[in-house]
Structure formats: structure tokens, C-alpha cells
Amino acid sequence: MSVLIILLIVSICISGGFLVAFLWSVKDGQFDDDQSPAQRILFDQKTNKK
Amino acid sequence: MRNANTILSCYHCGNQVPDQSIAIADKHFCCTGCKTVYEILNDYHLCTYYDLNEKPGLAQNKVSRKEKYAFLDNADIEKKLIHFSNQHQSHVTFYLPQIHCSSCLWLLENIHKVNDGIITSRVNFPKKEVFIVFDHQATSLRKVVETLDGIGYEPHLSLNEISSKAGSKTDRTRWYKIGVAGFCFSNIMMMSFADYFAVSNTVDPKVAFLLQTIIVLLSLPVLFYSATEFFVSAWNGLKNKYLNIDLPVALALAITFLRSLFEIFSGSGSGYLDSMSGIVFFMLIGRWLQARTYQTIAFDRDYKSFFPIALNVVKDDRITPTEISKVKENDLIQIYSNEIIPVDAILSKGNAKIDYSFVSGESLPVQVNIGEIIYAGGKQLEGLLELIVVKEVSQSYLTNLWNNPVFTKKEPIKKSTYDTIGKYFTYVVLALGFGAGLYWYGRGEVTLMWNAITTVLIVACPCALLLSENYTNGNILRIFGLNKFYLRSPEMIERLSKINHIVLDKTGTITQTNGANVRYTGKVLSKEFRRIIASLLNQSSHPASKLAAGFLNEKKLSKVVHYKEIEGQGIEGWVEEHHIKLGSPAFIGGAYHPEKPGTKVVVFIDGEIVGEFIISNKYRFGVTKLIQSLKKKYSLSLISGDNDTELQNIEDLLGKDSEVLFNQSPQEKLEYISQLQRKHDRQVMMIGDGLNDAGALKQSNLGIAVVDAGNNFTPSSDGIIEASKLSQLDAFIQYAITGKKIVLFTFAISAIYNVIGLYFAIQGILSPVIAAILMPCSSITIILLTYGLTEWAAERHGIKELHNQPFPNPD
């Protein structure tokens, strides 16, 4: 059964990684504006003339 | 569009094109302002703006004067606006109330094509803000602002935004709390599965120990981080001797936690930590839903955000832009067209026509003569003025209103119905818990007694009530938001449902501020007479003359001799050998008896009354219908700062039972509301628009400010409604009332789960598995029910048509 113990610890670590990723993205401001990114992705990127 | 050939709409803003004189190729414009914006965009190859949405612009009827933003070169002011600066770049954030569609977003993020000095720009759509990074060696703050203004996005610069710059950061703690709670909840659930399905003694004791350690460790951040707001709120309630709904919630959380710890460490069970973290997670999501809709709108703007940042002060023939707080008494200042005068001042030069509609409610502009005083808050309509400051901003007439105690006193905590229900709920639960405890104690079963007391408290946490309240209000606020009706906080929904008296303001609220209806009654005017009248009217700049002249719309005019104007009375002169007098009934002479009062211009030609022009306010779309439906359910009053010329129409509209008051000062309006509340014990809703209503809005139980699209100023209020949606107000109130029923209904449904839980709890046999099944079932039932019911009710009240349109275009 000791394999279960290892698996438990591993699974907690993995999900902990996702939690950290989420907190990071919040801190980065990704959740501040939930409307503009949805629109932004639809704009065609014209070839840069510069 | 009935006929595409005759009705042309502006390529930029979609307004009707008056004549076809302003055009580029096949594109027509309503005004030169719109055309200029198009030209700029065309020059910089930014016409995608027009491809993304049809006619995305807003009308550009005013063109900014050249030196308008000169004050931004002032280093002090610049420093206050820019929030970060190093050798290469500066960062600045502007509030652009014009942002409304994806075209705006696209254009503003491509603004670097117009101004090379701009490095990047990023729009925050819900906040209507744009964050700009620019190279201050290649451009300047002033040029950035001028670029924005040039393409039709004039930034809203004001004292208020400057002073509270630091406060504009979004609060992200709720996200962190939800994230942590969600993580812990799901992992605790997973760890608990072993326990739920375990047949006795099949789990290895080592594994079981590890599982329980992890569960306890994971529950700590839930209780001590994510759930802190419930404890804080409960404690604040207790401190103010007030039992709010968070108190039983906090109590239940604490008891669940302690009891679970006891079970786990004594080895008698596995505790209810999974249910506890689950309920915290769902409650936090409910609170987030409630909060998200209104967090971006400023409800607490005062007069300061209405004023400009700087004024042009003339000193020794030199003009220096000066920060408004540094303008002193006796300074000579300049005011241009369409600018707000922020101080009390005496007119020394220029033709002053001041629009006070916002400060006092007067619907027609006021002509001010040289040497007379102009009060703060008035707006100059046309031409340059020079004024001598009499009172600084902080002491002006307008600012005085804000010294009223209403604005400084702390809002008393008002009990909501849900708090009261929560309270009784708690009493019943406590009684049940101790009753069950006593029963088991009497039978000598001490363990069962403890089991019963604690589990009853756990099961009976009024979380269900809190959840149904939060989720219902969250969705109601969202639907209101889609309808351009924004409430300051969820408590306002309940207040809205309790209203029994509605007080309306006139100017700008039920009537439109710009434009008036002109009617002519009397003898039919011949072509000659029309020309004569128009010629004389053309001499006068009085607003009534302008309106009447616009009504006649004669292009050919004759010469006027012996012209005479008597201030506030009328005008007189000779045109084409006819003597003509135009003016108020008093000016024309005694023989005239008007049937109905109102603003009128009587026409008197060669000793005979020919007819009269009647000028009346233009009511907003749908107001008549709204008032007729409100009249049936609520008592109404109308208080206006304007004169009583509109009395007859208003009385016809409101009916005999309503009180109608004119010539009310802001202070009188405030007192009227408080008298209604004190003497007649009414729940008053005030609907107003201007600064003159600010006191009344604040004093009322629910103050709603009416705003025109694109207008960025709203006085301090509990809610904001866009003028075009005012006609729906009745539906909104009814919806709020339905909302309350939905909360109670869902609560009743979910209480079934509590009763099942109680059934086990009283017997002292509530196992963690039963709790873990009941908790999510109850939460999910609530979420689905509240969502479904609020959507259904919105459809029934006819306020749902705007759904699926996150970016609605105005009109």
C-alpha cells in the first residue's frame, strides 16, 4: 500500500502546481479584464508595414 | 430605414446627415468633427475601425480648441497624471467614457500608428480605461491626450481621478481566496473518498493517517484564509450589536472545524472538513458573482470630477494654465465655449450665456451681463469669457452643498430581510440542537448528546439562505447591467423592492436637457409675416428667440430698424414698415390673457396680437408611459429647480394626487425628501440627474442618477440608469420585487435538504458521508434554481432582450 502514499503526495504536488499557476496568473492581472481579450483575439493582424 | 435614398446617416457616428455638404467620396458625415476623425483614421490606414462595426463612432459635434490641453505641459499637473516614468518611457492611464465597442478597442490599441511616440496601449474594457506607455522624448503627455481627442476619445481628466490614482488598482484577493478554497476543497473531497467507500478496516492505518493529516492541513487555509471575511463581518456585526447572517455562518464553520478536529484526533470519525471547505468555496463564488457587475463603476463622484483640472489665469497679459486648487480670489480667468466654470466669479468680458441646467435645474440658458456674478457649475455655451474670481473652488456656492451633514455621515447599517430571517433561523436551530441534546442527556447518552448538538449546528448553517441571496442578486445585477441600469451594491436590490414613494426631478431627468418643443398657435402666418418675425428674432440672442427662430427656419431675412431689447421681457423693432413686438405677455400689454401658463413668445404686429410661440420641454422617450404605470403603484412627487412654466403639462402627466414643486434649491430638495421619510414614514426613491439633486439623492433611501450616453458625470448615488432605459424603470422595480421572492423560494427548497440533515443530526447519527452528499446537492440546487428563475423572471418582465450582446452599440 505504500505506493498509495507516494501517489498521494505526487497528486497533491501536481494540483499544488496548478494552484500556484492560477495564483500567478491572477497576480499578473489576467483576471482583471474578462472582456477585452475575448475581442482582441478576433482582430486580424495585418502585416506590419514598418 | 424607410428609404435609403433620402435618409443618409453619418459614416462615423450613424446620426442623421442634415445636408449632403460634408462628404468624402460616397461617405457622408453629420458634422465636420466626424469628418475630421475619419480623415485622421484614413491618413493612418486605420479604417478597419469602420469595418469591425458599422458606424462605431460617437457624434463629434464639438471641435476642441487648439490650446485646450496646454495645461498638460505644466510639470506639476503632468507629474500627478503619470504614474511611472524613467529615462525612456512614461506610463499613464486615462478614463475614456466613450469606449463602447470592439472598434474602440481596436483603434485605441493601434493608436501608436497615429502618434509614433506611443509605445503600447492597452484597453481595459469594463473599466473604460486605456493604459498607455509612451516615449516622453518623442512625444509629450499633452500630445498623447491631443491624439486621443483627435480621434474622438477625449480623456476624462479631473481632480478626483488625480487624487485617487492609487486606489484604481483592482482588488484581487477574492480571486486568491476562491482559488485556495477550490484547491483545498477538491483535494479534501478526493482524500475523503477512501473513507466514504471504505468497508471497515480495509484501509491501511498508515495511509489513513496520512490522508487525515493532509485533510487537516488542507482545511487550515480554507478556514484561516478563504473564510476570513465571514468571521470579520460577523465580528463587525457583533461589535455594532447587530446580528447579521454571517454570524451563524461563522459559528457553523467554527463548530464544524472544532468538531472535525476532535473526531479525527480522537479517532472516532473522519470529520466534516470536506463539507466545510465546499460550502466556503460555493459561498465565495456567490459573493464574487454579486460583486463583479458593479465594481468598475464609480458611484461616489462628487462635484470635483465634474470640474476641469486647470484654468487659464491671465496675469500681466500672459496666460498661464494653473491648477484649479491654486486659483485664488481676484485672479482673472478665461473660460471657453462648452467649458464649466468651477468658481464663483464676476463677468468682466465676453458674451455670457450660461447653462445652469446641471447645477440648478433651469432648462433655458441664462444671459449674464458684465459685472454680474456667475456661479460655479455653470457651463458657458458660446464664446470666450474673462472672469474675476470671487470665491475659490473650495468655497463656492456649489461646494457648499457638500458641507451638508448628509454627505459626511456614515451610512447606518440597515438590516436586510435576509438578516432577519437568518436570525430566526439561528434561534430555531439553537433550540432544536439543545432540545435534542437535552433529550439524549435525559436518556443518559452523553456521546449522542454531543453528536446531536454539534451536528445540528453544522447542518443548520444558513449557508443556503446566503447562497440563494448571493446567487440571485448576482444574476439580477448582471441582468440590470445588461440593461444599462447599474446598482451600487446588492443591498440596493432589496431597497428597490421596498420603495413606496418616488420623487422625480424635471430638467435632465424626465425632460431632455438639449432641445425644446416649439409650437405656434394663432392666426396662420403669411410668408411675409414669417419673414418679419424671423428677422426680428435673429437680432436677439435670448434662448427663447433662438428656439422660435429655429422653428420658423427662414433663410431670407430683412433689415430691422429701431431695434430694442428689454432684458428678460422681449424685443421690439420695425421690419418692412411693420411695427413688431415679440415677448412675454407682460411685455405685450394688458389686453392679453393667456389660457395656460408656459414659456411663450407672443407675436404682436401693428397693434394686434397675431399668435404665440409656446416653448415646452421635450420629454424623454417613454417617460409618459412610465409615469402612468408608476402612478398606479406608488405615490409620486416632482421637485424641480426650474421655474413653473411647465406646471400645466406636469400636472396633467402626474395627476392630481401628486405633489409638484418648482423653484426648489438643492437644500430644499434634500429637506423635502427627509420630511417625506420622517413625517410620512416613506421609503423614498429619488430620480435625478444633476448636482442640484445630489443632496436629495443622498438623503433618499435609494437615489438613482439618470445619465445620457457618453456623459461621464454622475452625482453620488445608489444607482445609475442610462436615459434611454428610463422608460423601463417600472419593470426594473417589479423585477427586484420578484427577485426577493426568488431568494425566499429557493431558500425554502434548499431547506428540504437541511430538514433531511436535521433528521439524522437530531438522532445523533449524521455521518460525514450524508453531509458530503447533502451539501453539494443543496448548493447546486440553489445555483441552478436561482439562475433559471432569475432568467425566467427577466423574460417575463421584458428586460431580457439585450442578452448575448456583450458589446451593445448605443441605440
Side-chain angles (χ1 to χ4, degrees):
Chain A
M1 282 298 246
S2 62
V3 67
L4 243 177
I5 296 174
I6 298 168
L7 279 176
L8 276 175
I9 294 168
V10 170
S11 85
I12 286 279
C13 289
I14 292 174
S15 53
F18 282 109
L19 176 68
V20 170
F22 172 74
L23 296 181
W24 188 4
S25 67
V26 172
K27 193 165 183 249
D28 203 37
Q30 288 187 22
F31 287 79
D32 291 357
D33 177 2
D34 51 1
Q35 286 181 49
S36 3
Q39 293 289 321
R40 214 171 269 140
I41 199 167
L42 297 173
F43 298 146
D44 290 328
Q45 208 76 56
K46 282 195 182 155
T47 41
N48 245 342
K49 280 170 196 161
K50 265 191 215 168
Chain B
M1 276 210 200
R2 283 162 301 167
N3 191 338
N5 292 327
T6 50
I7 300 170
L8 278 171
S9 59
C10 176
Y11 187 70
H12 179 72
C13 68
N15 280 1
Q16 203 177 317
V17 176
D19 53 56
Q20 304 190 1
S21 59
I22 310 166
I24 299 171
D26 60 335
K27 299 175 178 78
H28 292 272
F29 298 93
C30 64
C31 58
T32 47
C34 287
K35 189 179 150 211
T36 319
V37 175
Y38 172 76
E39 281 168 348
I40 293 173
L41 298 185
N42 199 24
D43 284 351
Y44 291 102
H45 308 288
L46 288 170
C47 282
T48 314
Y49 181 61
Y50 297 103
D51 301 336
L52 289 169
N53 289 283
E54 223 162 81
K55 284 137 194 159
L58 291 174
Q60 299 293 315
N61 34 29
K62 58 170 199 256
V63 179
S64 298
R65 67 191 162 84
K66 231 177 146 199
E67 291 294 303
K68 187 172 177 188
Y69 296 108
F71 63 88
L72 290 175
D73 285 336
N74 182 321
D76 278 349
I77 296 174
E78 207 177 351
K79 220 187 272 167
K80 282 184 180 166
L81 282 167
I82 290 175
H83 37 78
F84 170 81
S85 189
N86 64 14
Q87 288 142 315
H88 309 291
Q89 47 178 242
S90 295
H91 297 182
V92 64
T93 305
F94 293 115
Y95 172 59
L96 304 176
Q98 301 88 343
I99 294 178
H100 67 281
C101 66
S102 51
S103 286
C104 303
L105 182 71
W106 182 85
L107 180 61
L108 290 167
E109 296 197 343
N110 281 290
I111 195 172
H112 57 88
K113 292 184 184 161
V114 184
N115 184 336
D116 283 338
I118 295 174
I119 301 164
T120 50
S121 51
R122 200 140 183 97
V123 171
N124 183 326
F125 197 89
K127 281 189 157 180
K128 300 192 175 198
E129 278 179 357
V130 61
F131 169 72
I132 291 178
V133 178
F134 65 94
D135 178 354
H136 49 238
Q137 270 138 19
T139 186
S140 68
L141 181 65
R142 178 181 169 185
K143 281 187 192 134
V144 170
V145 172
E146 281 172 349
T147 310
L148 286 170
D149 189 32
I151 55 170
Y153 294 90
E154 184 191 346
H156 177 67
L157 303 166
S158 80
L159 287 169
N160 241 20
E161 260 78 344
I162 282 187
S163 50
S164 65
K165 201 169 61 184
S168 67
K169 238 189 156 185
T170 356
D171 185 23
R172 294 169 185 153
T173 44
R174 182 158 270 141
W175 280 113
Y176 295 136
K177 285 180 177 174
I178 291 177
V180 169
F183 166 79
C184 296
F185 162 58
S186 50
N187 279 294
I188 293 176
M189 262 304 194
M190 200 182 71
M191 305 286 154
S192 307
F193 268 125
D195 193 56
Y196 298 160
F197 301 118
V199 191
S200 58
N201 297 328
T202 49
V203 184
D204 185 334
K206 260 195 274 173
V207 176
F209 174 74
L210 182 68
L211 282 173
Q212 295 199 316
T213 319
I214 294 176
I215 289 175
V216 172
L217 286 179
L218 282 175
S219 70
L220 296 177
V222 176
L223 194 75
F224 293 107
Y225 177 63
S226 297
T228 38
E229 60 185 83
F230 299 104
F231 291 101
V232 170
S233 156
W235 177 243
N236 283 340
L238 272 184
K239 258 201 314 205
N240 295 313
K241 294 197 178 109
Y242 156 74
L243 202 67
N244 61 16
I245 195 166
D246 285 339
L247 181 67
V249 172
L251 200 68
L253 287 178
I255 289 175
T256 316
F257 184 69
L258 292 175
R259 154 109 201 184
S260 305
L261 281 190
F262 171 75
E263 277 191 13
I264 290 170
F265 286 118
S266 68
S268 57
S270 48
Y272 308 91
L273 293 175
D274 46 352
S275 303
M276 185 198 82
S277 36
I279 205 75
V280 170
F281 178 60
F282 284 118
M283 284 192 297
L284 284 175
I285 290 185
R287 295 234 159 147
W288 166 73
L289 276 177
Q290 251 193 181
R292 56 174 257 146
T293 23
Y294 57 82
Q295 62 193 357
T296 55
I297 303 159
F299 288 96
D300 47 1
R301 295 227 164 96
D302 60 8
Y303 62 96
K304 280 191 209 148
S305 35
F306 181 53
F307 286 168
I309 294 184
L311 281 173
N312 275 347
V313 174
V314 187
K315 215 173 218 171
D316 312 323
D317 293 327
R318 274 189 51 218
I319 297 169
T320 30
T322 311
E323 210 178 314
I324 204 164
S325 54
K326 292 184 182 145
V327 174
K328 294 274 166 290
E329 247 173 75
N330 296 324
D331 277 355
L332 189 64
I333 56 166
Q334 283 187 328
I335 296 289
Y336 297 82
S337 310
N338 282 315
E339 284 186 354
I340 310 275
I341 300 146
V343 290
D344 292 349
I346 285 174
L347 181 64
S348 77
K349 206 165 110 189
N351 180 11
K353 251 187 289 166
I354 310 293
D355 175 7
Y356 279 124
S357 60
F358 205 71
V359 248
S360 70
E362 287 163 85
S363 51
L364 292 177
V366 176
Q367 182 92 35
V368 179
N369 295 321
I370 289 180
E372 285 178 349
I373 194 159
I374 297 178
Y375 292 102
K379 187 170 157 192
Q380 161 67 349
L381 290 181
E382 249 181 87
L384 172 71
L385 296 183
E386 281 192 3
L387 310 163
I388 300 160
V389 179
V390 182
K391 274 181 188 162
E392 299 161 27
V393 180
S394 55
Q395 268 133 40
S396 70
Y397 162 74
L398 189 67
T399 318
N400 272 334
L401 183 63
W402 262 264
N403 298 332
N404 190 294
V406 187
F407 288 96
T408 45
K409 81 162 181 245
K410 248 178 82 186
E411 199 149 320
I413 304 168
K414 282 182 187 137
K415 275 190 191 178
S416 83
T417 323
Y418 311 124
D419 284 334
T420 320
I421 297 175
K423 194 170 82 182
Y424 289 119
F425 192 84
T426 315
Y427 289 152
V428 171
V429 166
L430 285 176
L432 270 177
F434 287 107
L438 269 178
Y439 173 77
W440 290 118
Y441 182 74
R443 304 189 61 170
E445 306 251 19
V446 182
T447 334
L448 269 180
M449 175 196 84
W450 283 114
N451 270 350
I453 293 179
T454 45
T455 47
V456 162
L457 290 178
I458 292 169
V459 167
C461 148
C463 311
L465 180 61
L466 197 67
L467 278 177
S468 35
E469 184 194 344
N470 287 351
Y471 282 95
T472 307
N473 286 347
N475 207 30
I476 289 177
L477 285 177
R478 190 181 67 90
I479 287 169
F480 277 162
L482 288 171
N483 281 287
K484 298 188 179 139
F485 176 48
Y486 311 97
L487 288 174
R488 183 158 60 90
S489 67
E491 289 87 62
M492 300 304 147
I493 298 176
E494 222 216 324
R495 284 204 217 164
L496 186 62
S497 68
K498 281 186 177 164
I499 289 305
N500 56 22
H501 190 114
I502 298 174
V503 179
L504 297 154
D505 168 53
K506 182 179 76 84
T507 317
T509 303
I510 62 168
T511 68
Q512 291 178 2
T513 32
N514 51 345
N517 278 328
V518 182
R519 214 151 40 87
Y520 172 80
T521 58
K523 288 180 193 158
V524 180
L525 292 175
S526 65
K527 250 205 156 123
E528 188 195 2
F529 273 13
R530 285 176 75 97
R531 195 170 58 237
I532 292 172
I533 298 167
S535 306
L536 188 70
L537 287 171
N538 190 43
Q539 299 293 317
S540 159
S541 62
H542 190 272
S545 311
K546 292 247 157 162
L547 287 167
F551 172 75
L552 288 171
N553 197 17
E554 287 287 312
K555 294 256 153 71
K556 266 200 214 152
L557 298 173
S558 311
K559 214 179 144 224
V560 180
V561 287
H562 302 301
Y563 174 74
K564 211 161 78 187
E565 178 161 359
I566 294 163
E567 201 60 48
Q569 295 280 318
I571 50 178
E572 164 171 28
W574 286 82
V575 191
E576 294 177 17
E577 307 291 313
H578 291 286
H579 175 233
I580 166 164
K581 268 170 108 175
L582 298 167
S584 65
F587 175 71
I588 301 303
Y592 182 79
H593 297 291
E595 297 159 35
K596 283 181 175 183
T599 304
K600 42 186 67 185
V601 178
V602 183
V603 183
F604 185 85
I605 300 177
D606 297 330
E608 190 193 356
I609 289 171
V610 179
E612 60 191 13
F613 294 100
I614 299 166
I615 296 160
S616 55
N617 292 150
K618 222 183 210 166
Y619 289 84
R620 287 194 193 278
F621 175 76
V623 159
T624 322
K625 229 172 140 191
L626 170 73
I627 290 179
Q628 269 156 5
S629 62
L630 288 179
K631 195 153 75 173
K632 288 178 205 144
K633 301 170 198 147
Y634 306 99
S635 43
L636 299 177
S637 316
L638 183 134
I639 41 175
S640 174
D642 203 2
N643 55 36
D644 60 0
T645 49
E646 198 69 14
L647 180 69
Q648 194 65 44
N649 289 337
I650 299 276
E651 278 188 340
D652 291 347
L653 191 61
L654 266 73
K656 288 224 163 57
D657 305 329
S658 313
E659 201 167 351
V660 180
L661 296 167
F662 285 101
N663 298 314
Q664 298 290 301
S665 73
Q667 187 66 34
E668 283 168 322
K669 286 187 173 186
L670 196 161
E671 275 155 18
Y672 179 75
I673 304 268
S674 79
Q675 178 216 331
L676 275 178
Q677 289 169 326
R678 272 184 293 114
K679 285 197 188 147
H680 305 280
D681 202 24
R682 295 277 167 80
Q683 299 287 318
V684 184
M685 170 153 95
M686 170 79 202
I687 306 171
D689 75 311
L691 281 173
N692 60 328
D693 304 315
L697 287 172
K698 193 90 187 171
Q699 174 67 41
S700 65
N701 301 71
L702 187 79
I704 303 282
V706 179
V707 296
D708 278 304
N711 178 0
N712 48 38
F713 180 81
T714 44
S716 167
S717 58
D718 301 317
I720 295 170
I721 187 167
E722 213 171 277
S724 57
K725 292 286 168 183
L726 187 64
S727 54
Q728 299 251 50
L729 188 71
D730 187 33
F732 294 150
I733 302 174
Q734 304 314 315
Y735 186 47
I737 295 171
T738 315
K740 210 166 136 184
K741 289 180 192 152
I742 293 175
V743 174
L744 296 179
F745 176 71
T746 354
F747 175 54
I749 296 285
S750 69
I752 295 173
Y753 292 104
N754 287 46
V755 172
I756 298 174
L758 275 175
Y759 170 75
F760 293 108
I762 290 175
Q763 300 177 60
I765 52 163
L766 180 80
S767 71
V769 185
I770 297 173
I773 293 169
L774 287 177
M775 186 279 303
C777 280
S778 151
S779 304
I780 288 165
T781 311
I782 291 168
I783 295 169
L784 293 178
L785 261 182
T786 51
Y787 181 78
L789 286 173
T790 43
E791 292 289 311
W792 170 78
E795 206 162 295
R796 258 201 52 197
H797 289 293
I799 53 174
K800 220 193 143 178
E801 74 264 60
L802 275 167
H803 280 205
N804 311 322
Q805 259 192 54
F807 284 76
N809 278 318
D811 303 313

